[in-house]
Amino acid sequence: MKIRAAVTYDTGAPYKIEDVELDAPKFGEILVRITASGICHTDEAVQNQFIPTPLPAVLGHEGAGIVEAVGPSVTEFKIGDHVGISFGFCNSCCNCRKARPFVCKKLNAINFGGIQPDGTTRLHTLDGKKLSTFFGQSSFANYAVVNQNHAVKVPYDDMDLALVAPMGCGIQTGAGAVLNRLRPEFGSSIAVFGCGTVGMSAIMAAKIAGCQQIIAVGGNPKSLELAKELGATDTVNRKEVDDLVAAVKAVSLSGDGVNYSIDTTGVGACVRQSLGFLDFDGTCVVVGATGDIEFNVQNELMGDGKSLIGVIEGDSIPKEFLPKLMAYYRNGQFPFDKLIKFFPFEQINEAQAASDRGECIKAVLRME
């Protein structure tokens, strides 16, 4: 079928909205009419090939919409279901069989290799040239073919799908890093470096978890104010201090650092600082794509009994975790809608630019 999609042809090139061909759903797949898609920094990282994915491609990996057709052997969904879409996984490797799809052994191949889990793509130009699929969905389009394993049924008929869309990656990554992986003790302390979508989601989750102190670390005064509204007990503006690690430790309850820290910046130097925020026996989580980093293992890690861990997609099982986040939102405990600014699909390049300039925390495209 002919659909409208934003195609990325070359490294760093702007999105080009045009007609492309989408194949019908195959075994275990559903056709989703995409009504909204979040824009994530991971899309931009691929667009600029910091994370290599074969081009040309249709990016977008925070989609939501309505099921319009189902392929053979689809048992979980029916036409008319409202769904959110998350990351792809094989559902057959040893990690997937242990209900750990976030560390699927084919995670990178499926999400960044330009293919669906069966090794093929459903997207083509009108003259028949292959277009890479992204995250098993390619939601920068008005339709997507998705494996049923990667879709999440929305349990509330009145839930705006434009709010469901960004939950599929950035929001579940930040919230899941706290609620699924760290599981902080009640009354503990945490510092979150970066007040974007992932960082703000971690802050809201830390409040839900009962952290006594939540320190937001960033460089945008407006974002830091919003962080306090969302649950941060303290803020540190990195642009206003000479020694960021010392500044965070100075405001920590113990005076020696926090129990947990999360780095959402994807900057090696910031990861090192996030590790430095910790008190003895603390744990630092890295959730962003980060390049090289150098630090002294004895003095900055092992000597203080610290842990430095990488967390993918918030250690989330989306079919279970996203409905929980929706419930928190509806109960007023997870007001992530305060992060979002909506744009029409045709303004996808403007939406990304606005996000880059810090004019909005989370840009979400309304496709119709």
Side-chain angles (χ1 to χ4, degrees), residues 21 33 39 57 85 102 124 148 214 216 223 256 268 304 317 342:
E21 287 289 337
R33 175 166 57 85
I39 295 180
I85 312 169
F102 42 87
H124 313 273
Q148 64 178 340
I214 305 168
S223 295
D256 296 320
D304 290 342
I317 301 173
F342 297 108

Side-chain angles (χ1 to χ4, degrees), residues 6-341:
V7 183
T8 301
Y9 279 101
D10 301 296
T11 302
Y15 298 109
K16 183 179 179 182
I17 298 179
E18 59 184 43
D19 291 339
V20 302
E21 287 289 337
L22 178 66
D23 295 340
K26 297 183 180 180
F27 182 89
E29 295 178 339
I30 58 177
L31 174 68
V32 180
R33 175 166 57 85
I34 301 295
T35 61
S37 181
I39 295 180
C40 178
H41 286 300
T42 303
D43 297 305
E44 191 169 1
V46 172
Q47 185 185 31
N48 293 314
Q49 292 291 281
F50 177 73
I51 301 175
T53 288
L55 300 179
V58 177
L59 302 181
H61 63 289
E62 295 181 340
I66 301 170
V67 177
E68 291 219 340
V70 297
S73 298
V74 172
T75 58
E76 188 175 348
F77 300 97
K78 65 182 185 302
I79 293 172
D81 281 345
H82 288 201
V83 296
I85 312 169
S86 192
F87 62 92
F89 50 93
C90 73
N91 207 38
S92 61
C93 72
C94 59
N95 289 337
C96 285
R97 291 197 300 270
K98 290 186 290 187
R100 292 173 60 81
F102 42 87
V103 285
C104 168
K105 291 196 172 186
K106 295 182 180 178
L107 190 80
N108 288 326
I110 293 170
N111 292 286
F112 299 106
I115 58 172
Q116 293 279 16
D118 67 356
T120 66
T121 181
R122 306 288 175 269
L123 291 161
H124 313 273
T125 62
L126 294 184
D127 57 2
K129 296 178 181 177
K130 184 179 78 170
L131 294 169
S132 289
T133 301
F134 189 53
F135 261 68
Q137 58 177 281
S138 291
S139 59
F140 288 166
N142 59 349
Y143 285 88
V145 168
V146 181
N147 190 289
Q148 64 178 340
N149 294 325
H150 315 154
V152 179
K153 190 177 296 185
V154 179
Y156 309 104
D157 293 338
D158 60 345
M159 185 86 179
D160 186 355
L161 288 173
L163 293 179
V164 173
M167 303 180 81
C169 183
I171 288 172
Q172 82 169 350
T173 294
V178 176
L179 297 174
N180 296 331
R181 186 58 178 269
L182 288 178
R183 300 183 180 184
E185 294 180 6
F186 182 82
S188 59
S189 58
I190 186 169
V192 179
F193 200 164
C195 293
T197 303
V198 178
M200 294 294 200
S201 298
I203 287 168
M204 289 183 282
K207 183 179 180 180
I208 291 171
C211 289
Q212 182 177 357
Q213 184 177 43
I214 305 168
I215 304 173
V217 182
N220 185 322
K222 290 184 178 179
S223 295
L224 290 171
E225 280 300 313
L226 179 58
K228 292 182 72 173
E229 183 180 338
L230 297 178
T233 59
D234 302 272
T235 62
V236 176
N237 190 324
R238 61 178 177 80
K239 296 180 179 179
E240 296 178 352
V241 297
D242 295 324
D243 187 333
L244 185 58
V245 170
V248 171
K249 286 191 171 184
V251 301
S252 67
L253 293 176
S254 69
D256 296 320
V258 294
N259 303 123
Y260 310 97
S261 65
I262 298 179
D263 184 84
T264 72
T265 69
V267 178
C270 298
V271 171
R272 185 179 181 184
Q273 290 172 315
S274 298
L275 184 62
F277 298 160
L278 295 175
D279 200 346
F280 275 70
D281 194 32
T283 300
C284 174
V285 167
V286 180
V287 297
T290 308
D292 294 339
I293 174 177
E294 291 186 6
F295 61 90
N296 186 293
V297 174
Q298 169 62 28
N299 294 336
E300 300 177 64
L301 182 70
M302 192 275 288
D304 290 342
K306 297 178 181 179
S307 300
L308 178 65
I309 59 176
V311 172
I312 302 170
E313 294 290 344
D315 274 15
S316 300
I317 301 173
K319 289 182 188 294
E320 296 183 3
F321 191 54
L322 296 192
K324 291 179 182 178
L325 292 182
M326 294 178 207
Y328 283 135
Y329 166 72
R330 292 171 69 87
N331 290 336
Q333 298 169 276
F334 193 73
F336 71 95
D337 56 319
K338 295 181 179 181
L339 310 177
I340 295 173
K341 183 176 180 179

